[in-house]
Structure formats: C-alpha cells, structure tokens
Amino acid sequence: MRRLSLRAVLLGLAAPVGALVFAAAVCSVILVVTGHSPADVVDSMSASLDRPRTTVIAVNNATNYYLAAVAVAIGFRMNLFNIGVDGQYRLAAMLSAALAGASFMDGLPSVLRVALTMIAAVLVGAFWAGIAGFLKVTRGVSEVISTIMLNAIATALVAFLLNPNRLAVLEGNDIHTPTITSGGQVPGIPYSGSSTEVHGLILVAVAIGVLYWFVLARTRFGFDLKATGLSESAAVASGVSVKKMVLASMLLSGAVAGLVGMPELLGGAHSYSLNFPPGIGFIGIAVALLGRNHPIGMAFAALLWGYLDASSNGLDVAGIPKEIVAIMQGVIVLSVVVAYELVRRYRVRLEQREVGKALGTIKVPEVVGS
C-alpha cells in the first residue's frame, strides 16, 4: 500500500510538474531567440519575492483565482464546462456593489451589510449559471454554448447598468457604482513591509475550499455528483436524477462564481467600475486544470498564477518584455492538458499490467476424477 500510494503521488505530480518544465523550456527558447537571457528573467522574478508588496498582490490575486477555480471545478466534477464564470462574477460584483453602496445600507450594522452584499452576489451568480443549467436539462442546450452567450449578455447588461442614470455615479472621468462606506467594507490583514494589505476575505476563500472538499469527499451529494460525472447510466441505475444533479451543480458553481469579485470589491476597490479586474473566470479554468480540481492543488496553482501576474511588472523594469509571462501561462495550460492525458494512459497500462500479473498467479484448482 505504501508503494502504491507513493506511485499515485508521483503520477499525480507528473503532469503539472511536466507542464511547468515544458513551459519554462519553451519560454527559454523564445527569450534566447529574441535576444534576452533566461537567467535575467529568473533573477528578476526571484527578486520580486523579496518585495512584500509583490507578495501581497500575488496572494490577493490568488484569492480571486482560487474562488474562480473552485467554481469551475464544481462543474468539472459533473463533466460540465462552465465557461460562464467570468460573466457570473462580473454581473454579481456589479449588482452587489450597487446594493452595498446604496444609501439605505448605511444605517445597518457592518456585519449585516457585508453579509447582505455577499448573499446578493451568491444569488446573482447562481441565478445566472442556473439559466444555463435550466436550458441544458429542459432543452438539451450545451452548457458550453449557453455560458459563452450568457457571458456576452452579462457584459452588455453590466455596460447598460453602469450608467450615471441607472446604478452608477460619475466622478470626473470615472464611472462607478456608489462607493461602499467603511461600514460595508472588510478590513484587510496587515503584512509587514507593505502598505497594501491582504484581503480579509481570503478566509472566505479558505472556507470555500474546505467546504468544497467536505461536500465532495464526505457527503452523499458529493458522491452522487462524482458518480454522475463518471457515468450517467450508472447514476440512473442507482436512483440518482441526472437532471437534478446537473441543475444543482450549475447553481453551486454559479454561487461560488458570485463570490469571485468580493475580495476585491469589499477589500480593495470598494466600488465596481470599468477598471474592475476582468478575465478572472477564464484564469479559473486554467487554475482548475493545473490543480486537477483538488482543493490543495488548486491553491498551489492559484498562488503560482498570482505570483506570475504580480512579478510580470518587474520584468519591464529589467528591460524584459512582460508578455513572456502570458506566453508561459498559455503554454502551461496547453501542455498540462496533454500531460494529464499521457499520464492517464500510462496509469491505465500500469493497472492492466498489474491485473495481468495477478491473474497469472491464480492457480486453477484441479478437477477430481477428470
């Protein structure tokens, strides 16, 4: 059992580590061809680790990426590809920001204001993802198509509502929702040597990760979810309603997606504007793939992505194009998919070989009197 466990760990690490090594090799070749030194890139990115502010930015980015990855991973567990996390979190962030900045919220206790803001975000995200789930179970519409279209609709809806005549205010050249006053904000966590604080809602991200693990690994619902994703026919035979599981997983995925923008909204920006971070939902897909939908694996992947983003600005100072970080991230996503498939095939061959050996050692009893 110890040998098998060690092999399982090594096989689990083979794909992400291989993808990272391959991405580093590709980027090194690109740098050499363009006349830059890979060693200078490594030195510049390593030096950024010594800057407390870079560390804080990396952790804050990772918090958002982790929540997005969990939202995507919930769908992955059901073999559902929720590409709509980006639209779900942006629509949820904008509407919850408008609610949190409303004047009638100022008279409420701080805890209640924050709770109402987050509940609103969860409900909006779940509702927007639920549309795709409803279309799939009632009309058989692919969630890939519907969530892509819902992303476009969410973008247009946010642009329509983010108007001084509707849910936004105009301050100079900046259009944003009413600023959330101190009573509706979440205090940050101080970090030594940095004026920027770690988002306080990082604790919520940790709680979501623990809850994600517990539901999938320790509840009947989590077992049904994984069983349905592995084989719908087997799930039906065991009495599981596939349509209910599809709808439930999309609602849960959207609910977590609604929280993606909360650390930045309540801990940093305090309003939703045109400068609100875009594209986090798509980064969540990459982080979920790299972390293999595992809560701990996704945490390391989110920290890696956050660090790469935070350190990219330092490359410009060193005269190195920061686009090399985007290239590395893209290569990681492509190579990790291929690496996982290669590892899966290798694991299947190993299992078949062990089964063959086991069958070869079974002695067939002799028939008396033959």
Side-chain angles (χ1 to χ4, degrees):
M1 291 298 293
R2 183 176 301 173
R3 181 180 65 84
L4 291 176
S5 298
L6 178 60
R7 189 183 71 181
V9 171
L10 293 177
L11 288 175
L13 293 175
V17 172
L20 293 174
V21 172
F22 180 74
V26 170
C27 290
S28 298
V29 172
I30 294 174
L31 287 169
V32 171
V33 171
T34 56
H36 297 88
S37 171
D40 292 340
V41 175
V42 173
D43 291 340
S44 177
M45 298 182 72
S46 299
S48 64
L49 288 175
D50 297 331
R51 305 187 191 107
R53 185 174 183 276
T54 302
T55 301
V56 171
I57 293 175
V59 172
N60 287 341
N61 289 340
T63 301
N64 302 330
Y65 299 161
Y66 184 73
L67 288 170
V70 172
V72 172
I74 292 173
F76 280 166
R77 288 292 189 172
M78 264 287 295
N79 278 336
L80 296 173
F81 204 2
N82 182 11
I83 304 180
V85 170
D86 205 67
Q88 292 153 22
Y89 94 82
R90 285 190 288 117
L91 184 62
M94 194 275 294
L95 292 177
S96 61
L99 173 65
S103 57
F104 71 87
M105 294 282 283
D106 291 339
L108 299 178
S110 180
V111 174
L112 182 58
R113 289 183 63 183
V114 172
L116 288 176
T117 303
M118 296 181 66
I119 290 173
V122 167
L123 292 177
V124 172
F127 171 76
W128 206 246
I131 296 174
F134 178 78
L135 291 174
K136 184 174 182 66
V137 300
T138 58
R139 292 293 183 265
V141 179
S142 169
E143 76 281 357
V144 175
I145 302 300
S146 59
T147 51
I148 289 176
M149 297 306 297
L150 285 168
N151 274 345
I153 296 172
T155 300
L157 189 57
V158 168
F160 173 76
L161 294 175
L162 199 64
N163 188 289
N165 297 323
R166 298 182 182 92
L167 299 181
V169 295
L170 178 63
E171 289 186 3
N173 294 325
D174 189 19
I175 299 176
H176 58 84
T177 56
T179 302
I180 302 173
T181 56
S182 58
Q185 301 173 9
V186 176
I189 302 173
Y191 187 84
S192 178
S194 173
S195 58
T196 305
E197 296 181 329
V198 176
H199 291 327
L201 288 184
I202 189 176
L203 301 178
V204 172
V206 173
I208 291 294
V210 173
L211 188 62
Y212 167 79
W213 166 83
F214 179 80
V215 170
L216 287 179
R218 294 291 185 268
T219 66
R220 171 65 185 270
F221 174 80
F223 174 80
D224 290 344
L225 191 72
K226 290 186 289 186
T228 307
L230 292 172
S231 174
E232 290 188 3
S233 58
V236 171
S238 62
V240 178
S241 173
V242 174
K243 290 185 176 181
K244 288 183 179 179
M245 295 307 297
V246 168
L247 187 57
S249 61
M250 287 301 292
L251 288 172
L252 284 175
S253 179
V256 177
L259 293 173
V260 171
M262 292 300 99
E264 177 65 23
L265 177 66
L266 300 179
H270 303 142
S271 67
Y272 186 94
S273 68
L274 297 176
N275 296 324
F276 204 79
I280 297 178
F282 298 109
I283 295 175
I285 297 175
V287 172
L289 287 173
L290 185 59
R292 299 198 67 182
N293 302 325
H294 191 280
I296 297 179
M298 289 187 294
F300 282 110
L303 286 170
L304 171 64
W305 229 257
Y307 166 67
L308 290 175
D309 284 343
S311 62
S312 62
N313 291 329
L315 297 178
D316 270 346
V317 179
I320 302 168
K322 66 178 181 180
E323 286 76 16
I324 194 66
V325 170
I327 295 174
M328 178 179 289
Q329 291 172 337
V331 174
I332 288 174
V333 174
L334 292 176
S335 57
V336 77
V337 174
V338 176
Y340 281 142
E341 178 61 21
L342 293 176
V343 171
R344 185 192 67 81
R345 293 182 182 182
Y346 179 71
R347 182 185 288 112
V348 170
R349 285 198 295 268
L350 285 179
E351 292 174 352
Q352 291 174 341
R353 189 179 305 167
E354 288 187 353
V355 170
K357 290 181 179 180
L359 292 176
T361 58
I362 297 177
K363 296 182 179 181
V364 180
E366 297 181 357
V367 179
V368 179
S370 59

